[in-house]
């Protein structure tokens, strides 16, 4: 607690002086003797982006946040802020995008999706598990949903993606390369949770738009749905 208070006091002091770069640099140096360096500030301008890249290039494992539509757009955001492509390809290990979706309440009901829904949910012909939709009860105040879950996509750097970054390729080209190298998109993950009975097709499509012009890749075996606790919680 004492170190946390000291950090907040130092950070506030830097911000009061208008020394935002000094505050960020102090935060990185604070963890200079550790493998892990945490950047608490969101990357939203060139100065913060430079601090993050410099820390990563000097051997720190650095985590931060940035506002983008998906994982691949992280690269183009750094380019737009003025970071050189070779700096990004040399320093970035991965980018994870996430969205929150509502979970179906236990009052959910099984139904047979129509052909359009089956296509959107990527349901194979031999799929035997039930698909659910919302119903509504007293516990969920009639909404059909209770609690939330995340849908994610993780772009992991590889030589092909580094080469595309150095060529200033579009986010779409980077995303296609990531998919071909095994990345599940936000849409893929949201539809996986539909097939696992966690959420509905309606909710998944509300949160994540359908992927366009994505290459077809061989599907990997799906993980089993997460188990619920003995009290029926999520």
């Amino acid at each position: 607690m004492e170190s946390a208070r000291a950090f907040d006091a130092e950070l506030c002091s830097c911000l009061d002086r208008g020394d935002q770069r000094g505050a960020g640099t102090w935060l990185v140096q604070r963890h200079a003797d550790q493998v892990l360096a945490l950047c608490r500030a969101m990357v939203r301008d060139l100065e913060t982006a430079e601090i993050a890249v410099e820390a990563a290039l000097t051997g720190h494992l650095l985590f931060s946040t940035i506002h983008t539509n998906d994982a691949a757009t992280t690269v183009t955001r750094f380019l737009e802020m003025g970071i050189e492509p070779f700096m990004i390809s040399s320093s970035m290990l991965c980018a994870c995008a996430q969205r929150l979706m509502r979970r179906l309440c236990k009052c959910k009901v099984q139904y047979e999706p129509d052909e359009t829904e089956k296509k959107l949910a990527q349901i194979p012909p031999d799929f035997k598990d039930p698909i659910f939709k919302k119903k509504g009860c007293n516990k969920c105040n009639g909404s059909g949903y209770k609690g939330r879950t995340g849908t994610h996509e993780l772009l992991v750097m590889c030589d092909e993606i580094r080469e595309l970054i150095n060529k200033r390729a579009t986010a779409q080209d980077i995303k296609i390369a990531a998919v071909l190298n095994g990345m599940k998109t936000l849409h893929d993950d949201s539809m996986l949770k539909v097939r696992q009975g966690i959420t509905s097709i309606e909710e998944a499509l509300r949160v994540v738009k359908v992927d366009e012009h994505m290459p077809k890749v061989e599907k990997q075996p799906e993980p089993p749905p997460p188990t619920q606790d003995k009290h029926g919680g999520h």
Side-chain angles (χ1 to χ4, degrees):
M1 292 296 294
E2 289 300 323
S3 60
R5 292 192 189 97
F7 164 77
D8 289 335
E10 180 84 13
L11 181 60
C12 290
S13 175
C14 289
L15 293 176
D16 288 343
R17 297 195 305 268
D19 184 12
Q20 295 186 14
R21 183 177 174 84
T25 303
W26 185 90
L27 177 56
V28 171
Q29 291 175 347
R30 169 79 174 152
H31 298 274
D33 58 339
Q34 300 181 17
V35 176
L36 179 66
L38 298 176
C39 183
R40 227 168 69 167
M42 178 182 294
V43 178
R44 63 180 70 191
D45 53 42
L46 178 59
E47 287 186 344
T48 311
E50 286 177 340
I51 291 170
V53 171
E54 288 169 7
L57 288 174
T58 52
H60 296 87
L61 180 60
L62 186 138
F63 294 84
S64 189
T65 56
I66 186 169
H67 276 164
T68 62
N69 292 326
D70 55 27
T73 316
T74 303
V75 174
T76 54
R77 283 288 294 119
F78 273 97
L79 291 172
E80 291 168 357
M81 284 187 282
I83 302 298
E84 291 296 326
F86 73 92
M87 298 282 282
I88 302 171
S89 61
S90 301
S91 60
M92 183 179 292
L93 294 177
C94 64
C96 179
Q98 64 177 3
R99 299 285 187 276
L100 286 176
M101 301 185 300
R102 293 177 295 176
R103 300 182 70 119
L104 283 167
C105 178
K106 295 184 186 304
C107 64
K108 62 187 178 183
V109 293
Q110 182 179 342
Y111 81 110
E112 181 65 25
D114 60 32
E115 291 303 316
T116 301
E117 290 176 319
K118 287 181 179 180
K119 185 176 180 181
L120 288 172
Q122 305 166 353
I123 299 174
D126 58 347
F127 187 79
K128 303 298 182 183
D129 294 334
I131 300 295
F132 296 93
K133 64 179 180 180
K134 67 179 183 178
K135 180 182 178 182
C137 66
N138 291 333
K139 290 186 177 180
C140 61
N141 294 322
S143 68
Y145 298 97
K146 191 172 180 64
R148 294 196 289 180
T149 188
T151 179
H152 306 84
E153 70 179 20
L154 180 64
L155 185 154
V156 179
M157 293 296 292
C158 63
D159 291 340
E160 182 181 355
I161 294 177
R162 289 190 182 95
E163 185 176 347
L164 287 171
I165 294 173
N166 290 334
K167 292 179 179 178
R168 292 182 178 269
T170 65
Q172 179 72 3
D173 289 338
I174 294 171
K175 185 173 184 176
I176 290 174
V179 169
L180 291 173
N181 280 277
M183 183 184 81
K184 287 185 180 295
T185 66
L186 287 168
H187 176 67
D188 290 337
D189 193 43
S190 68
M191 291 305 161
L192 172 61
K193 289 174 171 60
V194 168
R195 297 192 296 275
Q196 291 177 335
I198 297 172
T199 193
S200 65
I201 296 177
E202 177 186 7
E203 174 66 6
L205 293 177
R206 183 188 71 84
V207 174
V208 181
K209 67 178 182 178
V210 178
D211 292 321
E212 296 181 355
H213 312 300
M214 283 292 106
K216 292 185 178 180
V217 295
E218 183 178 349
K219 297 294 182 182
Q220 300 297 320
E222 293 188 357
T227 56
Q228 298 179 347
D229 62 35
K230 63 181 179 180
H231 299 293
H234 297 299

